[in-house]
Each structure stands twice: as C-alpha cells, then as structure tokens.
Amino acid sequence: MGEITTGNKGCYIKPKKAWRLLRTADDENVTSYIYGVSGSGKTTLISRYLGTRKYTLIDAGCIRPDELLIDSGNSRKIVVIDNLHELSWGDVDTVRGQIIDLIKRDDIWVILIGRCPVPPWLSAIRFQEGFYVIDSKLLMFSLDDIKKYAEYAEFDMTEAQLQRMLYETTGLPLAAEMCNSKYREMAYTCQMTDEMYDDFSRRVVEDMCNYLEYHVYDNWDVEMQEFLMEISVVDEFTIRQAEMITGRSDSELLTERAKWLGNFMTSRVDTEGNTQYQLQYHMRVSMKRRLSRKYEKEQIRSLYENAGLFYRLNGDIKKALEMY
C-alpha cells in the first residue's frame, strides 16, 4: 500500500515497499534495477526519491559511449540509466560493458530502469555484485491506493465503481492519472451512475490505447508491431499457435524479443507442459484496435480462421467456434 503525498507536482502515491528497497540500496550502495510497463511510475519513483540530489541521467535509447566515462572522485556519484530495455538487442556490446564497469565501482551508485526483467547480459554481474530488484508489482496501485487517489482527486464514485477502476486500470499509475484528467474534462457535477461510469471507462481506455499506440508501439520495428497485432486475436498463445495464426516461421524469435521490449507479456506453463503467452490487458485491447485500423477485413478474417483451425485440430471446439 502506498503513502499519499501532495505538492507542486500534484498527487503522488508513494509505493512504500519499493521506496524502502530503494533506500536500502542507497544506504548499502548496491545497484537498483527497477522495471515495469510504460506508465508504471518507474522514473517518477526515482525523481521523487532523489529529490534535489545531483545525479546523472542517461537514456539508453540514445546512449553514447562517452556518456558512460565517469571520472573517479572522493564523493559518491549517482548514475541513473533509463530505458535499459533498449539495449536488449543490437550491436551494443561496448555500451553494455561500460555499464557493467560502472556497476563494479564503489564510488558510483547505479540505478537501472527498464520495462523488462533483468536481461540475460546482466545476469553474471547481478549475482556477483547483488542487485535490489523492484518489479512492477511493487509499483502498481492497490485498491487502498485507488481509494486514496480518488479521495485526493475528489472522484464522486461508489465503492463498486472504484473496484472497477482498479480492475480496468490494472493498478497502473498512468491509467489512474488518465482517469483524473478525463474526470476533470467531463466536469461531472453529481455522483456517477453506472451508465455514466461506463462512458467514462470507455473514454479512459481510448486514451490509454492512444498513448500506447503513439508513444510506445511506434518506436518498435514494423515486423514486431505486425506480429503483436496478429497474435492479439487470441487471449493467449503458444509458439506453435502463433506460427499457425500469423504464418511466421520466426514466431519464437519474435516472442522472445517481445519479452524484452517491455513488461507487456506474461507466461505460464499449462497442465500439458506447454508455455502459454499472454499480452498485458491494455496492450491486447490497443493491439486489437490497431489491427482493425491497419488490416483489411479479409486479412483479419484469415487470422481468426487460422486461430479457429488451431483450436479445432487440438480438440477445443468451443474456442474454435468463437474464432469462426
């Protein structure tokens, strides 16, 4: 549960457990690795925690090797490297090596921020030096946090509507902020009815989809965007299923890459030992919307038919009929 603070920057729900881990890492001079989907409050957590302290902020998406040449000194320096997921692929070995060198230094506290779990190239140094990892679960709002935020923002909503807000925003801080903006925009003058909330919710989801589409997805290569749009026709998928739906022989590679683009995908092992992948809620909704806008009806129909064929061949007639 978070702790509410106010000020010039407005309402901020402090994620207590994440804050405590960050403070411990600070006291012990141990590298912090913070990850979560876009809008989960990673960068805000750091800026709030560090406050007026001096630190070097580097964006891994446009990093230059010379930016990582930090002079030695008597006083400890703080280096924050944001968007670390941008270094998961491509020819970036030199930069990766420099980051590892910074982590080893005693005169620097390194804070790493990304959208995915600790990438493989950091595995060795993580266990050699020890990382304090703050994952997305520690950044998301609980129901109590939603209630505190609603009280600060003066939402006139019922308990049931606030529970819906938690479910529909998945506890994402950015989505809560979008709820606040939309609530002000709509200028409600009385307590929301369920019908009013339905309209409010639809508008917030639309804003969230727009944010993801224009501020996140457009930074990805076209092949990845197309793969995720095509696979969004099903709730979850296996690699074999992805190959059948999309017709792409490199579905396994694309799925692996998607895992490191950001914390947009979860996985589980089913009762038959198959790994089932699932797109995060807002991502799937926005990808399905993007699919309907960018593909011809015949192309979309073909994707659903391929999905239906997969289910039929695997004996799941109910899901097959849903696809058809």
Side-chain angles (χ1 to χ4, degrees):
M1 186 170 66
E3 174 184 319
I4 193 167
T5 61
T6 59
N8 294 332
K9 295 183 180 180
C11 174
Y12 177 66
I13 305 293
K14 182 193 295 184
K16 286 186 176 179
K17 291 183 179 179
W19 195 279
R20 285 199 296 267
L21 277 175
L22 199 57
R23 179 179 294 149
T24 301
D26 188 2
D27 292 341
E28 298 178 5
N29 201 39
V30 174
T31 298
S32 297
Y33 187 93
I34 306 167
Y35 74 92
V37 296
S38 179
S40 55
K42 306 178 296 295
T43 306
T44 302
L45 169 65
I46 295 304
S47 64
R48 287 275 184 165
Y49 177 80
L50 293 178
T52 58
R53 294 161 69 180
K54 292 183 179 180
Y55 61 95
T56 300
L57 177 62
I58 301 171
D59 185 348
C62 52
I63 199 169
R64 301 189 315 271
D66 62 284
E67 291 183 279
L68 296 170
L69 300 176
I70 311 295
D71 293 335
S72 299
N74 295 326
S75 61
R76 187 182 70 154
K77 300 178 180 66
I78 302 173
V79 176
V80 179
I81 303 177
D82 203 352
N83 295 316
L84 198 75
H85 52 278
E86 298 282 356
L87 299 178
S88 293
W89 299 87
D91 185 15
V92 289
D93 287 345
T94 299
V95 170
R96 289 176 180 174
Q98 288 179 299
I99 292 174
I100 290 171
D101 288 340
L102 290 180
I103 292 171
K104 292 178 179 179
R105 287 174 54 174
D106 293 331
D107 62 327
I108 295 178
W109 180 33
V110 178
I111 303 173
L112 305 173
I113 307 173
R115 292 180 184 163
C116 59
V118 181
W121 62 272
L122 280 173
S123 295
I125 191 65
R126 173 188 180 182
F127 293 109
Q128 289 170 8
E129 298 290 322
F131 282 13
Y132 278 100
V133 178
I134 299 173
D135 66 25
S136 57
K137 293 179 182 178
L138 298 181
L139 300 173
M140 297 299 182
F141 283 178
S142 65
L143 179 59
D144 285 338
D145 292 332
I146 287 288
K147 289 178 179 179
K148 285 183 178 180
Y149 191 94
E151 182 180 0
Y152 168 82
E154 299 180 335
F155 292 163
D156 197 353
M157 297 181 184
T158 66
E159 173 83 11
Q161 288 166 352
L162 291 175
Q163 290 179 351
R164 276 189 63 183
M165 183 184 292
L166 174 65
Y167 173 77
E168 293 165 355
T169 62
T170 66
L172 190 70
L174 175 64
E177 291 180 21
M178 288 183 174
C179 287
N180 189 13
S181 296
K182 189 58 61 178
Y183 193 90
R184 303 288 159 234
E185 181 183 314
M186 300 303 294
Y188 295 107
T189 58
C190 61
Q191 187 178 74
M192 277 191 178
T193 63
D194 288 341
E195 184 178 356
M196 291 166 64
Y197 184 88
D198 289 340
D199 179 58
F200 167 78
S201 174
R202 179 185 59 79
R203 293 170 184 265
V204 171
V205 169
E206 184 76 8
D207 284 351
M208 191 67 196
C209 288
N210 287 336
Y211 171 81
L212 289 172
E213 183 161 354
Y214 297 109
H215 295 280
V216 179
Y217 304 154
D218 280 350
N219 295 319
W220 299 346
D221 62 71
V222 174
E223 185 180 35
M224 178 59 70
Q225 293 180 45
E226 290 177 346
F227 173 72
L228 294 173
M229 281 190 288
E230 292 166 5
I231 208 63
S232 70
V233 300
V234 293
D235 292 333
E236 59 181 4
F237 62 93
T238 62
I239 298 299
R240 177 73 184 89
Q241 187 175 8
E243 290 172 345
M244 181 171 287
I245 292 173
T246 67
R248 299 173 185 269
S249 60
D250 59 349
S251 291
E252 184 170 7
L253 174 61
L254 289 169
T255 300
E256 182 65 21
R257 284 182 57 198
K259 287 165 55 179
W260 303 108
L261 280 174
N263 199 27
F264 292 110
M265 183 184 293
T266 59
S267 63
R268 67 178 182 87
V269 178
D270 62 22
T271 55
E272 298 179 354
N274 300 311
T275 301
Q276 298 278 355
Y277 298 94
Q278 185 177 50
L279 300 182
Q280 186 257 4
Y281 172 74
H282 291 114
M283 183 182 191
R284 183 170 180 241
V285 170
S286 59
M287 279 297 178
K288 288 186 72 174
R289 187 187 73 163
R290 192 178 178 95
L291 179 69
S292 67
R293 292 179 175 182
K294 292 185 174 289
Y295 278 39
E296 300 290 337
K297 289 184 178 179
E298 189 60 36
Q299 291 175 291
I300 297 174
R301 185 181 300 114
S302 178
L303 293 171
Y304 278 97
E305 288 177 351
N306 290 345
L309 176 61
F310 179 87
Y311 287 128
R312 183 163 65 84
L313 292 175
N314 285 272
D316 195 336
I317 303 303
K318 181 181 179 181
K319 283 191 176 180
L321 291 174
E322 290 175 359
M323 293 294 106
Y324 289 135

